[in-house]
Every structure is written in C-alpha cells, then in structure tokens.
Amino acid sequence: MRSDEVKVGVDRTAHRALLKAVGLVEDDFDKPFIGIANAYNNIVPGHLSLDRLTRAVREGICAAGGVPFEFGVIGICDGIAMGHDGMRFALPSREIIADSIESMVEAHCFDGLVVVGSCDKIIPGMLMAILRLNIPAIAVTGGPMPAEKIGGKNVTIKTAFEAAGMFKAGKIDENRLRLYEDYCAAYCGSCQGLYTANTMQILTETMGLSAPYCSTSPCGSSRKLRIAKDSGKRVVELVKYDIKPEDIVTENSFENAITMDMIIGGSTNTVLHLPAIAEEAGIKLNLDKFDEISRKTPHLVSIDPASNYTISELDESGGVPMIVKKALDYFHNETTVIGLRLYEIAKKAFERGESIIRDVTNPLGKEGGIAILYGNLAEKGCVIKAAAVSEDMQRFEGNAKVFNSEKESIDAILGGKIEEGDVVVIRYMGPRGAPGMPEMLLPTASIAGLGYKRVALITDGRFSGATRGPCIGHISPEAAEGGIIALVINGDKIAIDIPARKINVLVDEDEIAARREKLVIQRKELKGYLARYSKMVSSADEGAVLR
C-alpha cells in the first residue's frame, strides 16, 4: 500500500507516534488509509450539509476496514461573489482546489481518496485532482437544493437575481421583492436549476466517478446519506483491487459527459471544465468536439433557466440513469466507479413521478443545448447556451454598446441606456484580462428582469448557468490578448447566427487593421494569486488551465 511509506518500519516510529496522536490504534496500521477531501463550510448553501455526508463517508470507510483522514477544501459561493471583484477569484480557485488536494494526498501517502463537494469550481477542481493523482477514488456530490413555489411556480436563485431588474422596471413591489429574497434559496444544496453546480454533478455521475443517482438526490436527504456511506465502503474495495480513475475514465467517458451536457442543455461553463479535467488524464478536448457532439445529439430535457422545472423534477423522472436509458444509442457503454457499466445501471432506471425527459423520437430540439460559434469576432470560438434562447433570437443583428467592465454595463442597463436591438459587449473579462474570467449573471439577469426581448450580450468572460437568452461568452481570443473584441466600438453592427454557428462584427478588414494600429490594451495592476494566475492561465478555448 502507498501508506506503508509513512507507517511501516523502524524508521517510521515517529510517523506512527504522530498518527497515534490523532487517534489511531495498533491494528489501524494494517488498514488502507483513505483521504477525504471535504469542502464543507457555512457560507456556501451547497456545502452546508457536506459535514453530514462526510460523517457517512467516514462510517462507510470504517465499516469496510479502512482508516479515514478528513481534510478541508476551500469553496467560493459564485452567487455571493457575483457582480464585484470577488468573482475574479472563483474560476482561479479551481486550480487551488486541485493543487491543495494533490498536496495533501501526496504528502500523507493516502491509499485512496473520497472527494465530498458541491458547486461550480469545487467539483471540477476535485475531479482534476482525482485524475492527476490517479489513485483509487470516488466522488460524493452534495446534491441540489429543493425549490419553493410562489404563485404556483418554482422560484430559484435565478428568480432572485432577475428580481432586481423587475423591481427597477416597476413590475414588482417591495413586498414581492422581499418574498423572492426569502424564498428563492430556502434550503441547503446547490442552486435548484441546471446551473454549473448541478450540471457538473450530473456529468460526474455520467463519467462514472460517482454512484448512480448521486447527482440528483436532494441535499439533506436520507438517500444522499446512504449513497455517501456506500461510497465510503466502495473506495476501500477500489483500493483492495487497485482500481484507479484512469481505469474508469476514458476518452469515451468524456464524450458521454459532453453528450449528457447536450441532452440536458447544461451550463456553458462545462466547456471550460471538461477540457481542464480531461487534460489531467492526458486527453485533449477541443471546442470542435463539443460542437460535433451537439450537432448529432437531441435536446431532451428542459430545466431552469430554460423552463420552470428544477433538478428535483429530473430526479423524480429517473435522473441520469433514465436519460441514458432513453438515449442509449448516444452513449458509450463505459464502466463506472461502482463496477457496473453505464448500460447496466440504465437498465435498472426507474421513474417516481411524471417524466420531464423526452423520448428521442420527440425531442425538444434536434441538436444539443450548447453551441460553439466562430467568426471574425471569435476566431478561436465562443459558447452559447442555445437551449435557453428563444426561436426569434436564434438569428440576430444589432448595434454594439461597448463596456470595459461589468460595472459599466450594469450601470448602463439599469440606467436605461440600452435599447431593443442592441448587443451589449463586455470585454477585458477573460482569463487574463479580468483576470479570472468572472461570471456575469447580474447584467443578463437585469436585462431579463427589465423585460428586454431583443438585446444580446457578448463577452470574453463567462456566464452563470442561470443565464438565459442570447448571451455569448468565452470569446476567444480575449481582449487582453488583442482579440477583435478589443477593437469593437459603439455602433458597430454585430451579426449572430446560432444555427449557422457564426458571430461576426460587420466591419471591413481595412478598418479593423486601422483600429489595431491604434489599439492600447488595458492592463490592471495586480498582486497576489491573481497576478500569478494572469501570467500562467491559458485561453478560454483551452479550458483556462495553468501552464
């Protein structure tokens, strides 16, 4: 066992003394040492129950004959960080999480690993660590937050973000505003819709790195506790039989994850996270792979922000196994961390309520929920959640309104300076330019809340999975690298054609060349982690990984 390095032999007397200081007894030294990376904290709603899940994991490890060692992992709440400089740290925290788990596991020679986490950057960082370390491992994801209802409809955190614009537009009064504030996030768990947190939990299960139904079982449920305990038991078996993540996760597993993403119309942030996770396994995922799979994969599930359904309804519909069962021909029959193949799990899938999963013969759309666009404005590509765009905005041409920061754009939107037919351009928001590629839910939510019908938004930053409408992110190259988005001026015509996968600024090449000669790229004075990050991070089309 790897852990023999710290517990066997005369030379390890001091090591054993230190381990006895934390409660080990003599016969524990013959057992596998299992690390538990626990992202519990009391600021992220999705993490509030992770202490309970971790206790269940510990019980499972002990029951199976292992020794659990728990350590902490940071977690940033994207919702609380949204709309101010704090959001610049959210995506970069993914690398800190991966590095810190690697450091703890390698320093203490754990034989196996369980990661217990939830939410946007935490799960991707944990999966990056699992594949980088390649020791027996399993993921336990925290699960979704149930939704409350107002006026007979589910309300989610998206509703709360849009409420500010609704209030500004005079559509709701102060009492209704407070009602949304009090009921749009009423429980623990990852925010209710198909935002990045729940998308990544679903893709983790699809790739075979977590147990069946783990991704959709609600936060705080007894079912989630049982899954956690069984996962603790399972990791000890993985160590016994030396089954490692790279024995489970293949290129086909990542194709399965992308397929699932397209079927459900998941968050555009997966286009950043899946390539970063794949890279740790030596697998290259480029943007063309996402679009290739999107073109041939039907859209079968519509969940908030694209509809009023939440992950709770998906769970009642049979979750990931039922989606695979209904779309079996679109998935590779890969193995999973519990030892069963994907088709075997799907065969046993069951529904507990009215299904929101369409049959492949009656899809919501013939193509997947995410599209990759190219053009002179995005020579290396950009991303849009096409499933959340109305039919009449699939093709759109509008006038550019250009902003060099998110704050400038919000002030203009809420100040009534945006008109129907505009394309809001927010630049210097990319991995290097911001730095940290912040999500921008406030501008998109404000546009939706104010009731605009024909306003698009493009950025070299990114969007929350709660975003809906014609919002295009990940413009690459970004403005800070001299991408054409840095050359756009107010009044330029911008043409967006989602079915044709095109995005262009309608300015001739001579004018673009003349503007480039005068371009002065904006630079920020930076210190600390973001200063290092901005120098090392790759482009968004490469997953914004550190080089």
Side-chain angles (χ1 to χ4, degrees):
M1 291 188 287
R2 277 168 48 97
S3 58
D4 287 350
E5 190 66 35
V6 297
K7 66 187 183 185
V8 173
V10 173
D11 291 343
R12 296 297 182 254
T13 299
H15 301 63
R16 289 191 296 275
L18 290 167
L19 289 164
K20 286 181 177 179
V22 297
L24 268 65
V25 297
E26 202 63 45
D27 64 357
D28 285 335
F29 294 107
D30 296 325
K31 301 174 182 177
F33 285 6
I34 310 296
I36 308 174
N38 178 12
Y40 166 79
N41 62 50
N42 67 354
I43 191 167
V44 184
H47 292 197
L48 272 179
S49 71
L50 297 185
D51 56 341
R52 295 179 66 232
L53 288 185
T54 300
R55 285 197 295 272
V57 170
R58 290 171 66 97
E59 290 170 3
I61 291 169
C62 292
V67 182
F69 294 91
E70 180 182 342
F71 59 91
V73 174
I74 66 167
I76 291 174
C77 180
D78 282 28
I80 296 172
M82 196 74 67
H84 57 87
D85 278 351
M87 178 47 79
R88 298 193 299 166
F89 288 87
L91 180 60
S93 74
R94 183 186 73 182
E95 320 305 314
I96 295 175
I97 290 164
D99 291 351
S100 63
I101 294 172
E102 176 194 12
S103 299
M104 288 295 289
V105 170
E106 294 289 26
H108 300 104
C109 299
F110 295 135
D111 299 301
L113 174 67
V114 182
V115 296
V116 184
S118 182
C119 300
D120 303 47
K121 311 310 157 304
I122 295 86
I123 294 171
M126 288 177 159
L127 298 188
M128 288 168 67
I130 281 177
L131 286 167
R132 183 186 304 173
L133 289 161
N134 198 33
I135 65 170
I138 190 167
V140 177
T141 54
M145 176 189 297
E148 290 279 20
K149 286 183 167 61
I150 294 178
K153 291 186 176 181
N154 288 326
V155 290
T156 66
I157 197 63
K158 177 207 73 181
T159 320
F161 274 102
E162 293 182 357
M166 294 163 67
F167 179 74
K168 290 268 187 179
K171 295 181 177 181
I172 58 173
D173 60 17
E174 196 168 334
N175 289 332
R176 177 55 68 108
L177 184 67
R178 176 56 65 86
L179 198 63
Y180 287 144
E181 185 177 317
D182 289 345
Y183 287 92
C184 284
Y187 303 94
C188 70
S190 50
C191 297
Q192 309 94 330
L194 193 57
Y195 319 143
T196 310
N198 285 319
T199 302
M200 284 308 307
Q201 293 185 101
I202 288 168
L203 301 195
T204 300
E205 182 180 332
T206 305
M207 285 192 288
L209 286 173
S210 63
Y213 303 102
C214 186
S215 63
T216 58
S217 296
C219 172
S221 66
S222 61
R223 184 159 34 118
K224 181 66 76 176
L225 288 175
R226 294 194 296 273
I227 289 171
K229 188 170 183 177
D230 284 341
S231 297
K233 291 179 180 179
R234 179 58 182 164
V235 76
V236 178
E237 293 177 356
L238 295 174
V239 171
K240 179 181 178 180
Y241 296 108
D242 195 30
I243 300 171
K244 299 174 181 176
E246 288 188 12
D247 297 323
I248 297 166
V249 178
T250 65
E251 187 169 351
N252 283 345
S253 305
F254 282 100
E255 290 190 1
N256 282 344
I258 297 171
T259 298
M260 179 63 72
D261 203 11
M262 299 308 165
I263 285 174
I264 63 178
S267 167
T268 54
N269 281 318
T270 57
V271 180
L272 285 174
H273 296 319
L274 287 178
I277 297 163
E279 184 165 295
E280 299 290 352
I283 296 169
K284 179 71 173 177
L285 287 184
N286 55 40
L287 292 185
D288 290 340
K289 175 60 71 175
F290 285 83
D291 207 57
E292 173 194 327
I293 292 175
S294 179
R295 291 283 197 181
K296 64 184 182 183
T297 305
H299 179 210
L300 303 180
V301 184
S302 182
I303 298 174
D304 181 82
S307 76
N308 194 235
Y309 292 123
T310 67
I311 303 299
S312 294
E313 283 83 16
L314 178 60
D315 186 57
E316 292 170 7
S317 301
V320 168
M322 185 57 73
I323 294 173
V324 176
K325 185 175 184 177
K326 287 193 171 186
L328 204 66
D329 291 342
Y330 293 90
F331 290 95
H332 303 288
N333 190 22
E334 297 303 288
T335 193
T336 72
V337 76
I338 67 163
L340 297 176
R341 290 189 173 273
L342 207 60
Y343 289 6
E344 294 177 273
I345 295 169
K347 187 178 180 180
K348 300 176 182 177
F350 60 92
E351 298 171 355
R352 303 189 337 272
E354 183 179 350
S355 180
I356 65 168
I357 306 168
R358 293 282 189 97
D359 292 324
V360 293
T361 56
N362 181 34
L364 292 159
K366 293 181 179 180
E367 294 186 356
I370 292 175
I372 309 297
L373 313 185
Y374 291 93
N376 67 357
L377 196 51
E379 294 170 307
K380 293 184 178 180
C382 59
V383 185
I384 185 167
K385 191 170 186 174
V389 180
S390 62
E391 186 63 33
D392 66 333
M393 287 295 286
Q394 293 283 322
R395 294 180 176 86
F396 179 69
E397 186 175 309
N399 303 310
K401 290 280 181 72
V402 183
F403 306 96
N404 290 331
S405 74
E406 181 184 16
K407 185 180 185 306
E408 289 178 20
S409 72
I410 294 170
D411 289 345
I413 293 165
L414 295 180
K417 296 179 181 178
I418 303 302
E419 301 174 351
E420 295 283 15
D422 283 344
V423 178
V424 176
V425 180
I426 311 176
R427 62 192 179 194
Y428 293 104
M429 293 287 105
R432 290 186 178 177
M437 203 180 181
E439 285 184 349
M440 282 169 284
L441 180 56
L442 284 179
T444 62
S446 298
I447 286 170
L450 287 166
Y452 287 106
K453 300 297 183 186
R454 296 192 61 76
V455 171
L457 195 153
I458 68 172
T459 181
D460 51 7
R462 59 197 178 90
F463 296 116
S464 163
T467 295
R468 59 190 173 106
C471 301
I472 299 168
H474 307 206
I475 296 278
S476 300
E478 61 177 291
E481 290 186 326
I484 288 180
I485 190 171
L487 306 175
V488 177
I489 62 174
N490 287 329
D492 282 349
K493 290 284 186 184
I494 293 176
I496 299 165
D497 189 332
I498 298 172
R501 303 298 201 261
K502 292 180 180 179
I503 180 167
N504 289 287
V505 56
L506 304 182
V507 176
D508 64 50
E509 292 183 6
D510 289 342
E511 174 63 18
I512 288 174
R515 292 182 190 180
R516 187 171 294 285
E517 287 184 5
K518 300 175 184 177
L519 176 64
V520 178
I521 293 175
Q522 292 192 4
R523 304 290 183 193
K524 294 183 175 75
E525 288 190 17
L526 299 169
K527 62 181 181 180
Y529 177 53
L530 289 184
R532 298 193 302 276
Y533 181 88
S534 66
K535 292 176 181 177
M536 300 169 67
V537 70
S538 72
S539 177
D541 64 290
E542 297 177 350
V545 296
L546 297 186
R547 300 298 188 196

